[in-house]
Amino acid sequence: MPTNSYLPINFTISLEAWAEIEAIREFYDKDRDDKASVLMISWGNTVLNDGKSWGHVVIGFYRTSERHEIRDGIQMLSGHEVVFSLHPIFMGNSTEKL
């Protein structure tokens, strides 16, 4: 059985969230020649100066000029191209720490 070199998408995104993502894409693209091409969804940590931290979903965009670098990781989610990127430590199978 073939295995993917990427983590398969196992979630959905609400219509309201898609609308916000598109608003962020428009803001990202403003005054840029190299437009957003593929949505990236990941998990990130915010760490404050006082040491408090929390994890949360992070989104960003691969630019058109970067598309060739991520083409094998592009998946479809509700008709949208997405790269779902997750560091192994967040998958529960790593002893590595951030």
Side-chain angles (χ1 to χ4, degrees), residues 53-67:
S53 68
W54 61 93
H56 50 86
V57 173
V58 175
I59 70 161
F61 299 96
Y62 287 98
R63 297 182 309 266
T64 302
S65 65
E66 298 170 311
R67 189 177 176 85

Side-chain angles (χ1 to χ4, degrees), residues 6 9 16 22 32-33 36 46 52 72 75 80 97:
Y6 55 82
I9 292 175
E16 294 83 3
E22 286 308 311
R32 292 182 193 229
D33 293 329
T46 295
K52 292 179 186 172
D72 294 336
Q75 301 178 67
H80 299 269
K97 295 183 180 181

Side-chain angles (χ1 to χ4, degrees), residues 2-61:
T3 59
N4 296 330
S5 60
Y6 55 82
L7 185 64
I9 292 175
N10 60 355
F11 55 87
T12 60
I13 296 178
S14 70
L15 293 176
E16 294 83 3
W18 280 120
E20 288 300 316
I21 289 167
E22 286 308 311
I24 294 168
R25 179 190 297 267
E26 289 175 16
F27 179 78
Y28 180 92
D29 281 348
K30 187 179 178 186
D31 302 323
R32 292 182 193 229
D33 293 329
D34 196 6
K35 304 293 186 190
S37 179
V38 180
L39 174 67
M40 181 276 304
I41 301 173
S42 189
W43 189 257
N45 283 338
T46 295
V47 181
L48 302 180
N49 289 337
D50 65 5
K52 292 179 186 172
S53 68
W54 61 93
H56 50 86
V57 173
V58 175
I59 70 161
F61 299 96

